[in-house]
Amino acid sequence: MTYNRITAAEGAAMIKDGDYIALSGFTPNGVPKAVFRELSKRAVREHEAGKPFQVGILTGASSLQSVEGDMANAHAIKFRAPFSTNKDFRTHVNLGEIDYEDTHLGNMAERIRHGFYGTIDWAIIEVSDLDEGASECKAYLSSSGGISTTIARLAKKVIIEYNHFHNPNSKCLHDTYEPGECGFDRQPIPIIHVIDKVGKNYVPIDPKKIVGVVECNIPEEARVFKPLTPETKQMGYNVAEFLVNDMKQGHIPPQFLPLQSGVGATGNAVLEALGQNPHIPHFKVYSEVVQESAIGLIQKGIITEASATAMTVTNECLKKIYDNMDFFKKHLVIRQSEIANSPEIIRRLGVIAINTAIECDLYGNENSSHICGARLMNGIGGSCDYERNGYISIFTTASTAKNGCISAIVPMCTHVDSTEHDVDVIITEQGIADLRGKGPLRRAHEIIENCVHPDYKPILREYLKISDRGHEPQSLRAAFAMHDTFMRKGDMRLVDFGEYLK
Ligand code: 0RQ
């Protein structure tokens, strides 16, 4: 049979003020675009007519300009979870206009199943192929897994965006396993190896819920990352050096362990450095995303197997994958995000976690998400899913930001995402601080001497001297003096702890 075809505008017209909409996709990849491009225009029209129009938006991770950027600019987002990298969205959150819950990506599908977000009125799912069965729709996902299986099952109504930009053979990569309900009968997730497939290659949907299929041909709004700099490259080399040493010491077995590497330029630099290091054996990736660098290493045979929930790559790179599917389907699997970020599997496989921090403090607490305490940057993403459960948990960060006016190592983080109990290693372009097996004071010395920029070493040594003694020395009066000085004078180097101790 053929399901009802509708236009994107007809899809947008069915959505009501206050509805909760859940979307396929993870990062900009695999996120439906057609209906939302119409929905943001509709929101503007409704507001011009003096009518209220705001919706809740739930996704696997960050999405894209046509969804959260344009909707935020139209003042049409009532609630949003769980992650965003969009500048316009961030602006409206920081103006206090949007109720945004920054939560672990690995928990998102589970939280929807538990009903924590109430009724999901709509699921909009982007597909590359569709089997329009009378009793079951087989929806073949495009470039990411995200929370699609769960939202397609739980939403009251479903719109499918059949995006012919994607190649129908993307189905060769997907594994759409969804765990059972929590409770006594929940089974272990049966993934033992990085590349194991344990579910279907499609999302099953009840055809009665499908109100329409929007046919379209829209390229991905792919994210472009900053080019590598000498600083990010040095961080990558330092990560590779750390892992080689750890292997020599026997902490990492000779066959190596699967790696997770975060989104962004540093993630690309880390993978490139690992790929070039002759002492690192060919390795596997169990991560949230595969970026361009990982795809290149898979092609070269350096990454032998990779599992992720999204191909966070350019349209050219995605085309390369689609055109070489016979090769990639043997080396790459795309999962639902709760499986990619599952604590159970991260622990079982012994994944080495490598993510980027905004700031770290002297004891290893880490902030991924907020600038000077108050202002949202992006959110935690999947970083804590991996850092909490990793075999070794590494954070990278450049030692300074904003032309040296900010030190990324501070006395106390203004916001904490991964705690000192979950952080094993901090790596900057300056060097490596191995915090394992060390109490607070030894950690502080390790971080100051190995990771801090030379401009800030004397400042942080002084902070330790003026701190009140205790298990973890702190000065409650001066803990945020560096941040406060930056806010007042524009440069943390101008800090005078004496001012704060009077
Ligand atoms: O500002 O954009 O104005 O230049 O923050 O920093 O150095 O460009 O680094 O793009 O990798 O982002 C933590 C935000 C780093 C990211 C964060 C300013 C800096 C710049 C961006 P500009 P960089 P990145 C999931 C992986 C959380 C989610 C996560 C992130 C901007 O990595 O969102 O881990 N992480 N996802 O100038 C003030 C500081 C600053 C600062 C940097 N201390 N104070 N501004 N900036 N440090 C895991 C998986 O994928 C599995």
Side-chain angles (χ1 to χ4, degrees):
M1 68 183 285
T2 307
Y3 303 150
N4 184 33
R5 278 352 188 219
I6 57 170
T7 64
E10 286 166 343
M14 289 189 270
I15 292 166
K16 295 196 191 70
D17 175 45
D19 278 357
Y20 268 50
I21 311 167
L23 304 179
S24 67
F26 194 99
T27 66
N29 305 86
V31 175
K33 296 158 271 288
V35 171
F36 261 90
R37 286 182 182 180
E38 295 299 328
L39 195 64
S40 52
K41 287 188 235 161
R42 185 181 152 208
V44 171
R45 287 196 303 273
E46 299 281 356
H47 293 160
E48 281 169 357
K51 293 185 199 153
F53 191 83
Q54 285 197 319
V55 296
I57 303 175
L58 307 176
T59 52
S62 56
S63 67
L64 36 80
Q65 182 65 27
S66 301
V67 171
E68 54 191 335
D70 293 349
M71 288 294 280
N73 288 338
H75 309 286
I77 305 180
K78 177 183 176 182
F79 175 79
R80 169 94 178 93
F83 184 59
S84 171
T85 52
N86 185 278
K87 275 194 175 162
D88 292 333
F89 175 79
R90 176 189 309 154
T91 300
H92 290 279
V93 168
N94 286 329
L95 286 169
E97 289 175 11
I98 298 173
D99 186 14
Y100 166 56
E101 183 193 42
D102 179 18
T103 193
H104 306 290
L105 306 187
N107 287 2
M108 198 57 199
E110 192 93 87
R111 291 166 73 80
I112 291 173
R113 282 198 294 273
H114 296 338
F116 292 174
Y117 302 106
T119 302
I120 306 300
D121 300 290
W122 297 92
I124 309 182
I125 311 280
E126 182 184 83
V127 302
S128 66
D129 202 2
L130 197 58
D131 188 342
E132 303 181 50
S135 58
E136 182 186 62
C137 165
K138 292 182 181 168
Y140 296 98
L141 298 173
S142 58
S143 51
S144 69
I147 52 174
S148 306
T149 311
T150 303
I151 60 173
R153 191 169 59 74
L154 294 180
K156 284 195 331 203
K157 292 179 213 150
V158 177
I159 295 174
I160 289 178
E161 287 196 11
Y162 192 169
N163 188 353
H164 299 288
F165 169 80
H166 292 285
N167 191 317
N169 68 17
S170 65
K171 62 168 79 71
C172 302
L173 299 174
H174 282 275
D175 186 40
T176 65
Y177 180 89
E178 187 186 22
E181 252 339 307
C182 284
F184 296 107
D185 292 332
R186 182 156 172 170
Q187 299 297 308
I189 301 168
I191 294 173
I192 312 293
H193 309 102
V194 165
I195 203 86
D196 285 349
K197 281 189 177 170
V198 296
K200 301 181 169 77
N201 70 347
Y202 62 88
V203 174
I205 309 178
D206 177 356
K208 290 196 284 296
K209 295 203 301 193
I210 299 174
V211 297
V213 175
V214 178
E215 302 236 18
C216 54
N217 191 329
I218 310 177
E220 305 245 81
E221 294 179 24
R223 211 177 144 199
V224 179
F225 295 111
K226 290 178 192 166
L228 299 193
T229 61
E231 209 172 46
T232 45
K233 282 187 186 168
Q234 188 58 50
M235 280 192 267
Y237 297 140
N238 290 352
V239 171
E241 185 194 316
F242 167 78
L243 294 175
V244 169
N245 278 337
D246 233 42
M247 210 168 56
K248 281 189 192 143
Q249 288 179 44
H251 300 145
I252 300 175
Q255 72 273 23
F256 217 61
L257 289 168
L259 290 180
Q260 173 264 325
S261 170
V263 185
T266 310
N268 274 329
V270 166
L271 279 192
E272 280 193 13
L274 294 177
Q276 286 163 11
N277 192 305
H279 304 294
I280 301 218
H282 290 176
F283 60 95
K284 299 177 186 181
V285 163
Y286 194 88
S287 193
E288 198 172 88
V289 300
V290 277
Q291 302 191 146
E292 218 99 341
S293 53
I295 299 300
L297 293 178
I298 294 173
Q299 278 195 306
K300 287 184 188 155
I302 293 172
I303 293 176
T304 54
E305 292 176 4
S307 163
T309 186
M311 295 179 273
T312 305
V313 296
T314 58
N315 287 325
E316 297 70 42
C317 183
L318 191 61
K319 188 170 179 314
K320 184 168 76 180
I321 299 168
Y322 288 155
D323 289 347
N324 294 286
M325 193 51 83
D326 283 343
F327 170 79
F328 278 103
K329 72 183 181 194
K330 292 187 210 130
H331 301 277
L332 176 61
V333 54
I334 302 298
R335 305 185 184 284
Q336 296 296 290
S337 43
E338 72 177 308
I339 307 299
N341 289 30
S342 156
E344 176 188 335
I345 300 170
I346 294 166
R347 276 287 164 99
R348 181 178 299 140
L349 298 178
V351 176
I352 297 172
I354 310 163
N355 290 286
T356 309
I358 285 176
E359 64 183 5
C360 296
D361 71 22
L362 291 179
Y363 302 109
N365 295 293
E366 182 274 343
N367 169 16
S368 299
S369 61
H370 288 76
I371 304 292
C372 288
R375 292 198 317 280
L376 176 75
M377 171 57 87
N378 293 330
I380 55 173
S383 58
C384 305
D385 291 327
Y386 280 88
E387 294 289 331
R388 175 73 187 93
N389 299 294
Y391 182 96
I392 303 170
S393 299
I394 303 171
F395 271 106
T396 58
T397 174
S399 67
T400 62
K402 305 294 175 207
N403 296 322
C405 295
I406 293 177
S407 171
I409 311 291
V410 291
M412 189 183 270
C413 284
T414 53
H415 174 100
V416 176
D417 293 307
S418 282
T419 75
E420 60 185 274
H421 315 288
D422 297 332
V423 181
D424 291 321
V425 185
I426 294 171
I427 297 180
T428 67
E429 81 291 352
Q430 302 290 325
I432 301 159
D434 187 349
L435 311 181
R436 293 170 297 177
K438 296 186 176 78
L441 253 186
R442 281 172 69 210
R443 283 178 162 225
H445 290 302
E446 176 90 5
I447 294 170
I448 292 173
E449 300 316 323
N450 295 348
C451 287
V452 169
H453 188 276
D455 286 355
Y456 288 97
K457 280 188 183 181
I459 296 172
L460 288 160
R461 287 185 194 125
E462 188 192 346
Y463 176 78
L464 268 190
K465 278 199 199 121
I466 59 149
S467 293
D468 297 330
R469 294 299 96 185
H471 176 238
E472 200 159 292
Q474 291 289 5
S475 164
L476 293 189
R477 279 179 292 170
F480 297 123
M482 288 169 69
H483 296 90
D484 185 51
T485 302
F486 174 75
M487 303 277 266
R488 289 188 297 116
K489 299 181 180 168
D491 193 334
M492 283 186 178
R493 286 170 291 206
L494 301 177
V495 68
D496 173 3
F497 289 123
E499 263 184 57
Y500 295 84
L501 298 178
K502 279 179 202 154

